Amino acid sequence: MSSRGDWNELRGRRMAEPGAAEAYESTRLAFELGRAVRELRERRGWSQTELAEAASMTQSAIARFEAGGTVPTLPVLERLARALDVELAVGFQARSDAA
Amino acid sequence: MSSRGDWNELRGRRMAEPGAAEAYESTRLAFELGRAVRELRERRGWSQTELAEAASMTQSAIARFEAGGTVPTLPVLERLARALDVELAVGFQARSDAA
DNA sequence: CCAGGACATAGCATCGATGCTATATGTATC
DNA sequence: GATACATATAGCATCGATGCTATGTCCTGG
């Protein structure tokens, strides 16, 4: 069920929108990036609040992001990468058409 | 002189802002992504107008983007990648700290 | 010189992400 | 039960990217 979620529903609705293959991909990306950050954060044993401080953000912003609640912007991704001491990679690749 | 530029100045100012290492990186990224798209587009022999159509955008948006005039959003990058038949890659990597 | 195509900018409306504050749960711990 | 910390959401203000339309400039061809 949607249980305590709400952004979960939002995501679901977004991904279901017809024709918007692009929106679907973005939402998927947002979700994956959120998971990645959560992993990196937990690997460091940091709380959302700690990461928030390190990235000049608020705990709520981190929570929203990790939940895939919004499609992050590059500046934010940069800040998170910096805080987590990793590198943000963005670019185009030859289509592998995996899947 | 700033010649015909203006976004050039904007970029310059942005990248010069002190302390904003994050903003600097984003601007740099925007610039590189713009170049990448321009290359892919020209490689295909497309005009900005043609790419714009393929990506459901306007010529002016493409121009602004290629010039690095703004930091693009993931949805837009997705659309461009799709139009150019390449894959958008976004993620975190171990810091190589090159340079 | 004029017409047409390509690219650069401008100016403004709108949408959506982020910032911020407050709060609701949930889970220990004492 | 009260306290304390972590995470999830809400609601609203603001900022910035994108959409759109209209030009301006440069080139090239007739």
Side-chain angles (χ1 to χ4, degrees), chain A residues 41 44 46-59 62 76 78-85, chain B residues 22:
Chain A
R41 175 176 65 80
R44 297 212 152 203
W46 285 1
S47 68
Q48 292 184 337
T49 304
E50 291 173 301
L51 173 56
E53 247 181 85
S56 303
M57 300 172 67
T58 54
Q59 179 265 323
I62 300 290
V76 165
E78 274 287 353
R79 276 192 283 169
L80 288 171
R82 207 171 275 278
L84 292 165
D85 194 49
Chain B
E22 149 234 339

Side-chain angles (χ1 to χ4, degrees), chain A residues 15 19-33 71-72 74 77 89-93 95, chain B residues 33 37 40 46 51-57 62 65 71-91:
Chain A
M15 311 206 358
E22 149 233 338
Y24 175 88
E25 278 303 326
S26 295
T27 304
R28 177 201 212 65
L29 236 179
F31 189 60
E32 281 170 17
L33 287 170
V71 178
L74 294 185
L77 291 177
V90 186
F92 300 108
Q93 304 179 330
R95 197 181 255 310
Chain B
L33 287 169
V37 165
L40 288 169
W46 283 2
L51 173 57
E53 246 182 86
S56 303
M57 301 171 67
I62 300 290
F65 170 76
V71 178
T73 58
L74 295 184
V76 166
L77 290 177
E78 274 288 353
R79 276 191 284 169
L80 288 171
R82 207 170 274 277
L84 291 164
D85 194 47
V86 292
E87 219 173 84
L88 174 64
V90 186

Side-chain angles (χ1 to χ4, degrees), chain B residues 42-60:
Chain B
E42 294 183 330
R43 202 189 300 290
R44 296 210 152 202
W46 283 2
S47 68
Q48 292 184 336
T49 304
E50 291 172 302
L51 173 57
E53 246 182 86
S56 303
M57 301 171 67
T58 55
Q59 180 265 321
S60 71

Side-chain angles (χ1 to χ4, degrees), chain B residues 2-25:
Chain B
S2 51
S3 58
R4 44 171 148 68
D6 183 82
W7 287 337
N8 295 309
E9 296 179 50
L10 175 57
R11 269 214 324 279
R13 253 177 293 130
R14 271 192 195 167
M15 309 204 1
E17 269 165 33
E22 149 234 339
Y24 175 89
E25 278 304 325

